[in-house]
Amino acid sequence: LFHSPGHIPLGELLQLCAVYYALACVTYGISIPSGLFVPAILIGAFFGRCAGQMLSLNEQYGPTAQGVAGNEAGIDVGGLALVGAAASLAGI
C-alpha cells in the first residue's frame, strides 16, 4: 500500500477495506485482548490510497502534471496512504 507505485484497482482496495473493517469490529466485539492497532493502520492506509488514486485520475494532479520549473507534481499515492494510516491511528 505504501511503496507500490503502480495502480491498484479501486474495487479491490474498497473490498479489502470492508473486510478489514468487519474483522476489526468482530475482534473488538468478542472482548478478548486482540488489539486494534494494526487494523486501524491498515484501514487508514486503504482509505488514503483510495483517495490518492482518485486524485491521480484527475488530469490536474495526475502523474503527468507539471509543477513549478518543470518538476513533476503528481500525487504520491503511497504518501497519502501513510497520511491516511496516521490519521486513522490518531483517531483511536
Side-chain angles (χ1 to χ4, degrees):
L1 289 174
F2 299 117
H3 300 293
S4 60
H7 180 78
I8 300 174
L10 211 55
E12 289 181 18
L13 283 175
L14 292 175
Q15 286 176 345
L16 286 172
C17 183
V19 167
Y20 272 100
Y21 182 76
L23 290 175
C25 289
V26 167
T27 58
Y28 184 71
I30 59 177
S31 298
I32 61 170
S34 59
L36 290 176
F37 187 77
V38 173
I41 291 174
L42 284 174
I43 291 167
F46 285 130
F47 277 124
R49 180 77 185 218
C50 287
Q53 287 191 182
M54 286 190 278
L55 275 175
S56 70
L57 293 176
N58 187 350
E59 289 183 18
Q60 181 180 1
Y61 302 111
T64 60
Q66 294 296 315
V68 178
N71 293 332
E72 187 174 321
I75 296 293
D76 181 18
V77 292
L80 285 177
L82 183 63
V83 169
S88 176
L89 188 60
I92 295 182

